[in-house]
Structure formats: C-alpha cells, structure tokens
Amino acid sequence: MNTITQPAGPNTDAPAVEPSADALGTTAAHVRSGALEKQILDDPSQFRVLTGDRPTGRLHLGHYFGTLHNRVRLQNLGVEMFVIVADYQVLTDRDVADNLTEHVEELVLDHLAIGVDPARSTIFTHSAVPALNQLLLPFLSLVSVPELSRNPTVKDEIAHSRQSSVSGLMFTYPVHQAADILFCKANLVPVGQDQLPHLQITRTIARRFNDRYGSGATVFPQPEALLSSAPLVLGTDGTKMSKSRGNAINLAADADETARLIKGAKTDSERHITYDPVARPEVSSLLLLAALCEDRTPQQVADDIGTAGAAALKRTVTEAVNEYLAPIRARRAEYARDRAYVRRTLREGNERARAVAETTLSEVRAAMNSDY
Ligand code: TRP
C-alpha cells in the first residue's frame, strides 16, 4: 500500500514511474511536481493548497527560500490557500509547548510580513478547529499499526527526540496531518521531501475512506505533493539552517544582527570565490543566498567577487539580504505594533476553517451512517 504508483489527477503528462524507483517515490514526486507547476499556471482555480508549520519559534531564511516564498507565489497566482499553524504537532517530541501564544502570533506575523493576504488565504490553528480533530478517529481506523511504525520521518524524529519515551501522538501525528489536509479537501500540498511519507499516508487514508464509505462517490481527493525546486540555503555553520543549531538568520532579525551573523559565517581560505556546492558548501551557500535575494545566479555573484576573498563575499551577501528583507522587515514591524490585527487575522482564519471543517465532518458522518 505504501508506494506511489501512477499519480492520480487530471491531464497527467508525467511518465509512468515504477513503484520501486525509490522507496519514498521521491523521483516520481519530482517529476509529477513539474507537471503540476504547468497545470497551476494554466488554471490555478483547479487547486486548493494546504500547508503549514509547527509554531516552535521564528521563521528564518531557510524557511523563507525553502517554502514561504513559494506560498506567496502560489497565492498570487490565484491558488486558494490554507495555512495551518500546527500547534498540537509541537507536542510530538516534547512534553510542553513552550511560549505557544507567542510562537503562534510570530508565525502569523511572519506570514503577513512576507505577503500572505488574509483576504485570500486562511491562516488557522489546529486546536481551534474541533471538527478537523474529530476526523482523526475514523482516519486512525483506516491505517494499521505497522504502517504507522514504519514511517521513516517518524522514525527519524524518534531518533532525535528529546523525550525518554515515545508518545502516542508521535506515532499518530501523520494521521493527524492527513486530517489537516483532508478537512478542507486540499488537492495540493507544497512540502519538503521529509514530508512525503505523510502525504502518502494521507493519500492512502483518502482512498480507503472513499472505498469503504463513499458508496462509489469521492468524499476525499487524493492530494499531491508539490516539491520545491529551490536549492537548500544552509546555516552560517554550513549545516542545515535550524533554530536549534544557532546557525539561522531570522526573517525578523535587524540589519546589524544580520551583518554580525553573516560576518561570523564559516567560509574557507581560498580567495578566489567560486560556486561549487560539493567542494565548497559554505561559500556556495552564501553565494546562493545573495543570488536568491538579487534574482541572479550564484555563478554571477561569484564572478563579480572574483578574487576579493571571503570578506568581500560576506559584504555582498549582507547587503543583498538586508536590501531584500528591508520591505518584509518594515511590514513585519508595522504589524507587530498592531497585535490586535494579528489576533483578529487568526480569529477570522479559525472561523473560516471551522466552517469548512464542519461541512466536511457532516459529509463524513453521512458517509459513515452516523449523522443522528
Ligand atoms: N509536519 C509539518 C512540519 O513539521 C507541519 C504540518 C502540520 C504540515 N500539518 C501539515 C505540513 C499539513 C503540510 C501539511 O513541518
């Protein structure tokens, strides 16, 4: 059951991919994402996107160029979008969700700052949408314990968990995530590769629900992953950018802090600056960052710097990042002064999500003969 076979969906021009091509279907998902991008440009109204994050702290440039930027792009192309602030999911690998209210508001602020428009996109939290959470029970009945326990992303998270024992939520959160996606019948989920197993279980649940309860009708669509083609921006130490590693440049950092962080970034002693992600990952990631901000190629940025060395590279990157982020940071500061607006955005998003979830739950009840 756990393999991506020929992707479902209209007008697919992706080639058939053997299920065994690779274990997670990553190759198939990349090929399919290319085809989906074309369909989005042709007719964005065919798509409803659900995407989201755990509220564990402020967002950084890795998030921005990895996913956030893409959200705004999809919204502006005319795709309907739901953004979930996955507050229950914070509890998968820790006992207490610290500073939750603050983190949730910061996440909303970050989205407003980058251009997510609450008039067009719905930002909401897990915990405020009871009907979404109620989908978890029937969905759990549709997956087996072995299916849950062999999820590679969950296994990896357990390996890195800061808890001494594994909670039930850790094993079941991919099913919860299926409820996040299916409650609004999203058919497109922009994700990183690590989330592909969760997309697969979501598709499995949708298919099994339809088979078991649909009486021939499709209650839930089988959503597809939209993998980003954006290359990875590394942290200032050359490893994956992550708040817990202390190597992140936050969207909300000010220009001086950004300059300080970039000044401290790891480079090498070769004065000739070249773009070579394999041999020179740290230098190349800095070049990539400047390139993304200036809408140029990393090679162009490198050619301009030539043999001026790491200090010149860092000056270039600092200027590029600060200039690019200036309007985002200005908007963020403006919204940050209007907390009432931030809270209202979330309240209204929650209301919209609740209405959608209630409708879906009613259909589920009807399909399951439990609408008394
Ligand atoms: N699991 C995702 C993460 O850790 C967050 C998330 C929760 C999510 N629900 C989702 C992502 C639904 C996409 C769709 O980043």
Side-chain angles (χ1 to χ4, degrees):
M1 293 310 303
N2 253 3
T3 49
I4 288 187
T5 50
Q6 178 66 33
N11 312 326
T12 171
D13 56 5
V17 175
E18 286 298 310
S20 58
D22 59 307
L24 295 180
T26 309
T27 314
H30 269 293
V31 172
R32 181 68 188 138
S33 294
L36 285 166
E37 284 290 351
K38 288 199 200 91
Q39 286 182 30
I40 292 166
L41 292 180
D42 276 356
D43 185 6
S45 70
Q46 275 182 51
F47 295 97
R48 177 178 270 190
V49 161
L50 180 293
T51 182
D53 316 270
R54 304 177 191 197
T56 52
R58 289 183 172 185
L59 296 175
H60 53 62
L61 287 181
H63 295 122
Y64 182 78
F65 287 113
T67 56
L68 299 175
H69 183 58
N70 196 35
R71 291 179 192 172
V72 181
R73 182 183 70 94
L74 290 168
Q75 168 195 273
N76 293 346
L77 283 172
V79 176
E80 187 183 10
M81 193 166 57
F82 284 77
V83 180
I84 187 162
V85 179
D87 54 352
Y88 278 135
Q89 235 180 61
V90 175
L91 296 172
T92 51
D93 66 350
R94 63 197 82 192
D95 296 328
V96 181
D98 285 322
N99 306 321
L100 197 55
T101 311
E102 183 193 324
H103 288 333
V104 169
E105 281 186 24
E106 295 292 329
L107 208 51
V108 177
L109 263 176
D110 283 330
H111 280 87
L112 292 172
I114 64 168
V116 169
D117 172 7
R120 285 182 283 171
S121 300
T122 301
I123 310 180
F124 68 101
T125 47
H126 260 153
S127 59
V129 187
L132 181 163
N133 293 300
Q134 204 170 328
L135 294 175
L136 190 58
L137 292 170
F139 286 1
L140 278 170
S141 77
L142 297 170
V143 290
S144 70
V145 171
E147 278 173 323
L148 292 177
S149 52
R150 67 171 172 251
N151 183 310
T153 300
V154 171
K155 277 191 191 163
D156 188 61
E157 284 171 304
I158 289 171
H160 294 101
S161 167
R162 50 186 96 172
Q163 288 180 306
S164 53
S165 62
V166 182
S167 74
L169 185 63
M170 175 62 101
F171 275 111
T172 53
Y173 94 78
V175 182
H176 198 185
Q177 189 155 328
D180 298 345
I181 296 167
L182 295 177
F183 96 94
C184 66
K185 302 190 179 182
N187 56 2
L188 196 61
V189 187
V191 283
Q193 285 188 13
D194 65 315
Q195 300 289 304
L196 285 179
H198 303 349
L199 242 294
Q200 267 178 251
I201 206 136
T202 303
R203 292 169 60 85
T204 300
I205 288 169
R207 194 172 57 244
R208 289 183 188 163
F209 189 93
N210 294 337
D211 287 349
R212 194 168 298 177
Y213 300 110
S215 315
T218 302
V219 180
F220 292 111
Q222 287 189 52
E224 298 201 71
L226 186 68
L227 285 177
S228 157
S229 54
L232 205 63
V233 173
L234 300 175
T236 51
D237 60 355
T239 71
K240 183 179 181 219
M241 194 180 280
S242 151
K243 34 200 161 202
S244 59
R245 295 181 195 210
N247 64 0
I249 302 170
N250 285 338
L251 276 182
D254 64 25
D256 289 346
E257 193 185 351
T258 303
R260 188 175 53 72
L261 290 168
I262 294 174
K263 203 164 183 191
K266 196 172 163 199
T267 50
D268 57 40
S269 55
E270 168 60 51
R271 286 197 64 82
H272 187 204
I273 299 300
T274 53
Y275 184 64
D276 184 348
V278 176
R280 304 179 77 184
E282 299 91 359
V283 164
S284 299
S285 181
L286 286 172
L287 287 168
L288 173 67
L289 190 51
L292 289 166
C293 292
E294 294 179 336
D295 203 11
R296 298 200 289 162
T297 67
Q299 284 87 356
Q300 284 171 333
V301 181
D303 288 349
D304 278 2
I305 299 167
T307 55
L313 168 64
K314 289 177 179 180
R315 273 197 305 277
T316 301
V317 177
T318 302
E319 265 173 41
V321 170
N322 280 339
E323 192 171 317
Y324 184 86
L325 290 184
I328 293 177
R329 287 168 169 167
R331 265 202 307 274
R332 198 182 192 288
E334 220 173 283
Y335 287 121
R337 281 192 293 272
D338 193 356
R339 291 278 164 173
Y341 175 76
V342 175
R343 281 192 285 268
R344 196 166 68 239
T345 298
L346 195 55
R347 254 201 323 273
E348 288 173 2
N350 283 339
E351 266 166 41
R352 253 185 273 161
R354 272 198 289 270
V356 172
E358 285 293 342
T359 304
T360 302
L361 184 60
S362 300
E363 281 175 53
V364 164
R365 285 197 179 114
M368 296 179 76
N369 295 315
S370 56
D371 51 345
Y372 347 97

